[in-house]
Amino acid sequence: NAGVTQTPKFRILKIGQSMTLQCTQDMNHNYMYWYRQDPGMGLKLIYYSVGAGITDKGEVPNGYNVSRSTTEDFPLRLELAAPSQTSVYFCASRKGDSNQPQHFGDGTRLSIL
Amino acid sequence: QQPVQSPQAVILREGEDAVINCSSSKALYSVHWYRQKHGEAPVFLMILLKGGEQKGHEKISASFNEKKQQSSLYLTASQLSYSGTYFCGTEKGAGNQFYFGTGTSLTVIP
């Protein structure tokens, strides 16, 4: 199994550009999450989803959008990129039970210049 | 609502023990523990549920005090491979927001 796959692994954007970070999982997990991690800091929840068609905001949703049309995919959209969005973005998935761990992708390292 | 971890950083010699604490201001349903090495994704260690017992595997164990909304991670006889940043994660229930703690950097030296 591939687990959680994120693409791209690295990207440099100019201020004002837009892009979509892709995340797909092949474990049939209901729950999916997007986090950002700034250098030397912890993980902050951006958006999460408990199933196809259902999404909700996390701690830091401003400047981002998500959609969940299938169980497998949970793309994160950045509109009008700003330098403050320079970060490492992690996608995670999990079965829909509290006793289940989150499985993380390898991350996307994004720089906004 | 981010859980607060203590200490922020700790340096150990191989074979020494360490305790990492995680405190929340909100009532918790579960506490997760993850370890992250530099440049890598977090890796799951264990989950403790409300009403659950202390859990552990090998030389790493954890406890969850529901009344105090605190969890502690115990690392016994540390190994070089234990180095990394440890994060707790909390939620009020399945399907709710998930909050990672402030992190604890642990360095094990020979």
Side-chain angles (χ1 to χ4, degrees):
Chain A
N1 283 343
V4 179
T5 302
Q6 291 185 237
T7 56
K9 294 192 185 303
F10 303 93
R11 184 73 185 268
I12 297 175
L13 281 183
K14 293 183 178 179
I15 295 171
Q17 288 185 322
S18 300
M19 77 164 293
T20 299
L21 280 65
Q22 302 291 345
C23 175
T24 187
Q25 52 92 8
D26 62 359
M27 298 174 283
N28 200 32
H29 286 171
N30 293 342
Y31 293 4
M32 295 188 75
Y33 305 82
W34 273 108
Y35 297 93
R36 62 175 286 173
Q37 186 175 33
D38 298 337
M41 304 296 285
L43 294 98
K44 297 283 190 181
L45 182 65
I46 305 172
Y47 272 95
Y48 66 106
S49 169
V50 298
I54 305 169
T55 62
D56 212 342
K57 295 179 180 179
E59 290 179 87
V60 290
N62 292 344
Y64 307 94
N65 279 300
V66 293
S67 59
R68 183 97 181 269
S69 57
T70 66
T71 299
E72 294 79 19
D73 300 308
F74 191 38
L76 177 72
R77 177 84 177 163
L78 276 75
E79 304 282 2
L80 298 175
S84 61
Q85 293 176 305
T86 293
S87 192
V88 179
Y89 291 83
F90 287 104
C91 177
S93 75
R94 173 188 181 190
K95 280 188 179 179
D97 296 307
S98 289
N99 64 347
Q100 297 297 316
Q102 295 189 31
H103 299 259
F104 284 84
D106 291 336
T108 294
R109 283 147 184 81
L110 180 64
S111 294
I112 316 291
L113 303 176
Chain B
Q1 301 197 32
Q2 181 181 32
V4 177
Q5 291 182 228
S6 63
Q8 284 187 303
V10 58
I11 299 175
L12 300 173
R13 292 198 178 275
E14 272 188 293
E16 291 183 337
D17 302 339
V19 180
I20 299 172
N21 300 303
C22 173
S23 295
S24 174
S25 59
K26 301 290 184 180
L28 303 175
Y29 184 80
S30 68
V31 178
H32 297 214
W33 285 97
Y34 293 82
R35 177 171 60 209
Q36 185 179 32
K37 294 189 179 283
H38 184 71
E40 299 181 6
V43 174
F44 167 74
L45 293 174
M46 66 188 71
I47 292 173
L48 300 100
L49 297 178
K50 185 177 178 180
E53 70 282 11
Q54 181 166 338
K55 300 188 71 173
H57 58 89
E58 295 186 352
K59 297 175 182 176
I60 301 176
S61 62
S63 62
F64 180 19
N65 185 324
E66 302 157 32
K67 290 184 179 179
K68 294 185 177 180
Q69 284 132 224
Q70 293 177 344
S71 178
S72 295
L73 185 72
Y74 307 94
L75 297 98
T76 306
S78 58
Q79 306 167 14
L80 295 176
S81 62
Y82 286 4
S83 292
T85 302
Y86 289 76
F87 291 100
C88 64
T90 62
E91 59 186 351
K92 292 188 291 184
N96 284 268
Q97 287 200 28
F98 194 91
Y99 297 93
F100 276 97
T102 49
T104 296
S105 172
L106 186 138
T107 304
V108 181
I109 58 176

